[in-house]
Amino acid sequence: PPPPTPPPPPTSPPRLLRRQRQMCIRDRIERAEGAVVDLMADVERMIAARADGRGEDLISALLDAEEAGDRLTHEEVVIMVGNLIVGGHDTTASQIGCSLLALLRNPDALDVLRADPAIAGAVVDETIRFEPSIGFVPRTLVEPVEIGGVERPAGTLLFLSSASTSRDPDVWDDPDSFLPLRFAEAGAPKLLSFGSGPHYCLGAALARMTLQEVVLGAAQAGLGRTIVPTTDILGPVEWRQVLGRSPAALPVAVTPG
């Protein structure tokens, strides 16, 4: 008779780790899908409430635009409102952590900001360029395009790396340095983190306003002077990510001013 089949070897640590990672990713995807379903249901309820009684708000304006003609379908209104809620929460909140990290690593920029609060917008744009929470811009091809010698068909989803573009030495002077006045200078290159053209981020102005308030408030409260990191801020950072990435924590201590 043939010899008995030997038992399978125990799962190797690398294989076990890969399996654990796959399970974690699957769990994150399932939770994200559930959250999107719940969010869309909430958006539908908000839109239904505005349909019965308009107000002076964005959803009412979008519904009016929908009723005016072909500009927006109901589905487009739902998707746009959902994107605004997500974009106004996760990506902006994630950028707050990235912006504060960039400033803690470049405390001289905080002194410049304290001396001239009017440059808050320029400082925020530099933090987004230097330490972005979102490092790519998704786009869908509407016609075939050859990329790297390979033709990509219409409908292909591309992820354009705005993070690498923001460090391109052919575009930016001294791209690996944090320069708080970079965007205050005439002729500064355009920041591409919010996209461009007809698909420019609808929430860009709100995100910038929120970031300016946070960054300026933190600087005036003493960030980098009396509010100082308690760990090696220049060392490796543990990251968290939902849509945008952000430092998992920025431990600081408040010292007497």
Side-chain angles (χ1 to χ4, degrees):
T5 303
T11 303
S12 65
R15 186 181 302 173
L16 180 61
L17 289 175
R18 285 197 300 271
R19 187 174 300 170
Q20 288 176 336
R21 281 197 294 267
Q22 290 169 354
M23 292 175 63
C24 289
I25 292 172
R26 188 180 304 116
D27 178 64
R28 286 179 59 187
I29 291 173
E30 290 175 352
R31 287 188 289 114
E33 289 175 344
V36 169
V37 170
D38 292 341
L39 173 63
M40 291 298 103
D42 286 339
V43 170
E44 289 279 8
R45 284 192 287 270
M46 287 190 289
I47 291 175
R50 298 304 194 285
D52 294 334
R54 296 287 201 273
E56 296 183 1
D57 55 78
L58 180 59
I59 294 179
S60 296
L62 291 172
L63 288 172
D64 288 337
E66 178 188 13
E67 292 176 355
D70 318 333
R71 294 169 63 188
L72 289 173
T73 65
H74 176 78
E75 182 182 8
E76 288 169 338
V77 173
V78 172
I79 292 173
M80 183 169 291
V81 173
N83 283 337
L84 283 172
I85 293 173
V86 173
H89 171 63
D90 177 77
T91 51
T92 302
S94 297
Q95 185 58 53
I96 288 173
C98 290
S99 293
L100 294 179
L101 173 64
L103 291 169
L104 283 170
R105 286 175 165 175
N106 297 275
D108 290 348
L110 288 161
D111 292 332
V112 175
L113 177 57
R114 276 186 283 265
D116 184 7
I119 67 167
V123 172
V124 161
D125 279 0
E126 178 68 346
T127 66
I128 296 173
R129 182 197 73 84
F130 193 79
E131 196 69 78
S133 67
I134 299 287
F136 60 86
V137 178
R139 289 293 183 266
T140 302
L141 294 180
V142 297
E143 60 184 34
V145 174
E146 183 176 315
I147 303 174
V150 178
E151 183 175 286
R152 308 293 177 176
T156 300
L157 179 61
L158 302 180
F159 292 92
L160 311 178
S161 179
S162 54
S164 62
T165 302
S166 293
R167 296 291 186 104
D168 187 344
D170 292 333
V171 176
W172 307 90
D173 293 333
D174 199 6
D176 293 329
S177 295
F178 186 94
L179 305 178
L181 297 177
R182 184 189 300 274
F183 287 95
E185 298 173 356
K190 181 181 177 182
L191 185 67
L192 294 179
S193 298
F194 295 107
S196 62
H199 296 290
Y200 185 74
C201 177
L202 188 61
L206 176 60
R208 278 191 166 106
M209 181 181 68
T210 303
L211 288 163
Q212 287 173 28
E213 290 293 325
V214 171
V215 164
L216 182 57
Q220 292 175 336
L223 187 69
R225 180 179 292 172
T226 58
I227 303 174
V228 295
T230 57
T231 58
D232 179 12
I233 200 66
L234 298 178
V237 172
E238 179 184 352
W239 296 92
R240 56 165 287 277
Q241 184 162 8
V242 179
L243 294 177
R245 66 174 192 135
S246 185
L250 289 174
V252 296
V254 179
T255 60

